[in-house]
Amino acid sequence: MIRTKLAKLKGDQVAARLLRNLKWIVSSQVAMAILGMVSLAVAARALGAAGLGALALIEAFARIIARLVHLEPWQAVIHHGSAALENKDQGRFARLIGLSVLLDIAGGVLAAVVVLALAPMLAPVMGLEGQPATYLTLGALAVLVSLRATGIALLRLYDRFDVLAKIDTATAAFRAILSVIAYLLGGDLLHFVAIFIAFSLVEGLAAYLFGRREMKRHGQTMTLSGMQAMLTANPGFLRLMWNSNLAVILRQTTQRLDVVILATLVAPVYVGHYHIARRCGEAAIRLGRPIKQVVFPEFARFAARGEYQKISKTATSISLGFTAVLVAGLLPTLWFIEPLVTSIFGPDFAAATTVVSVQAIAVALFLAGVILGPVLLSLDADRGLMWTGVVTAALFFVLLYPLVSMFGVTGAALTHLICNSLWLIACIWLTHRALRAKATRPAANASEQEEPV
């Protein structure tokens, strides 16, 4: 039976492409997770819990501002770009990429301006004084130039997941190497902030440069003029970009703004403990992103051809298999959590084991439904995904203060746990509803055509 299944996979072009791309992205995400943990461990040992908390605030502030005002167009570009490439509409594709570049440039400049304007006012509220308060303003440099969203869209549309995997691994290695050098030379908070800025700028440009190279290889160009013509050629682009970004914004806001809010409720040392828990969770999420990144272009192609049954079967198979892997990995991690934390980050972080454990369970729940976002976007159910994000994000901010007041820093992780559970349930329901609607639509249209006019 296994040999039969493998033979079918080899003969299925879609499955073969998925497996090939998944191999590249899994490899890069594993490498990035390991390199990210190296960077985090080195920073923790160099700066201590309080210094690491300050670095976490500086990074989180810059990232959350960028996430709020820089709307990334890559999901809308993939959705509309897949249709343009399927129809061999070169003009539409050129205008689409030009629109994406303009949006990325405007978003980066706006994010930098907002960071510069808000940093002096919010630094005292977050408990940053003296030099750390000044460093908060430097975050504007980290978000000023970022064309990564356009680059990601291009590389995924051209099926160059291998190139993107190599870029991401190289940038993660760049940050880890700089962190180790700073640690060996006795670097302080300023050095690690500078490393964050350098890493962000490299990350923001590398994917775009390689994506443009792929465009040239395929003999395609980019048009930067005529914004109205761009939008007319890609109807629904702004709606999809807004809804897909809002869903991500709401989720990442709870994952980044939580650090800023927590800084007003607990001492900096506990912010450092929570940063450890979040970064460990982010390392785990990196292992789940490959599936999301690989399947979205495939789901977009299925949807463009009306093959909704394939979307259902592929999503179900991947979700069940990935959930089994999550359970198998989570249980031993929780069992050995204390020696793992203290051996990686040092004995000063032994008190962080409880919050790391709760955050691990919350992340596992999110990863169990990671495939559902691309499914809903491909089925034009982006509004439902957006509203799910709105409700769970609102609930997160309602619960954060009382749970932190009752359970300390662990309360922040408990808030993630509750909201991720509700988010998963809602996304499962939305997916079933969207698939049923797509399955019954042809029949409904046929019955309407039979009625006399």
Side-chain angles (χ1 to χ4, degrees), residues 153-319:
L154 285 169
L155 291 174
R156 290 176 184 173
L157 281 169
Y158 291 125
D159 204 30
R160 294 310 307 266
F161 286 83
D162 57 331
V163 174
L164 187 57
K166 293 173 183 177
I167 292 171
D168 289 343
T169 302
T171 53
F174 172 70
R175 181 171 190 174
I177 292 170
L178 290 182
S179 298
V180 171
I181 293 174
Y183 172 72
L184 294 175
L185 295 178
D188 56 13
L189 179 59
L190 176 60
H191 296 94
F192 283 91
V193 171
I195 291 170
F196 162 63
I197 293 170
F199 165 76
S200 298
L201 292 175
V202 172
E203 184 184 48
L205 287 173
Y208 172 73
L209 295 175
F210 280 90
R212 287 300 307 275
R213 188 184 69 171
E214 287 299 315
M215 283 190 73
K216 292 180 180 178
R217 289 182 64 247
H218 286 78
Q220 292 167 334
T221 58
M222 178 181 68
T223 301
L224 288 173
S225 60
M227 179 71 74
Q228 186 59 45
M230 297 178 192
L231 294 175
T232 302
N234 299 280
F237 179 91
L238 292 180
R239 176 187 61 81
L240 179 57
M241 185 183 73
W242 169 254
N243 287 336
S244 61
N245 270 272
L246 186 57
V248 176
I249 285 171
L250 292 169
R251 171 153 293 279
Q252 291 200 359
T253 297
T254 61
Q255 294 174 349
R256 298 191 187 279
L257 192 58
D258 54 356
V259 176
V260 177
I261 295 174
L262 199 61
T264 66
L265 303 176
V266 299
V269 64
Y270 296 113
V271 176
H273 291 170
Y274 183 66
H275 184 58
I276 290 292
R278 283 181 60 259
R279 286 293 299 274
C280 289
E282 288 175 3
I285 289 174
R286 283 191 180 279
L287 304 181
R289 283 177 185 163
I291 298 176
K292 180 179 178 180
Q293 295 169 359
V294 168
V295 300
F296 182 48
E298 299 296 342
F299 286 158
R301 295 185 188 107
F302 288 156
R305 296 192 292 262
E307 297 174 341
Y308 302 112
Q309 191 65 27
K310 283 189 176 181
I311 293 178
S312 177
K313 289 182 178 179
T314 304
T316 301
S317 300
I318 294 175
S319 294

Side-chain angles (χ1 to χ4, degrees), residues 20 26 268 340 349 355 453:
R20 182 183 70 249
V26 166
L340 283 172
F349 290 88
V355 66
V453 180

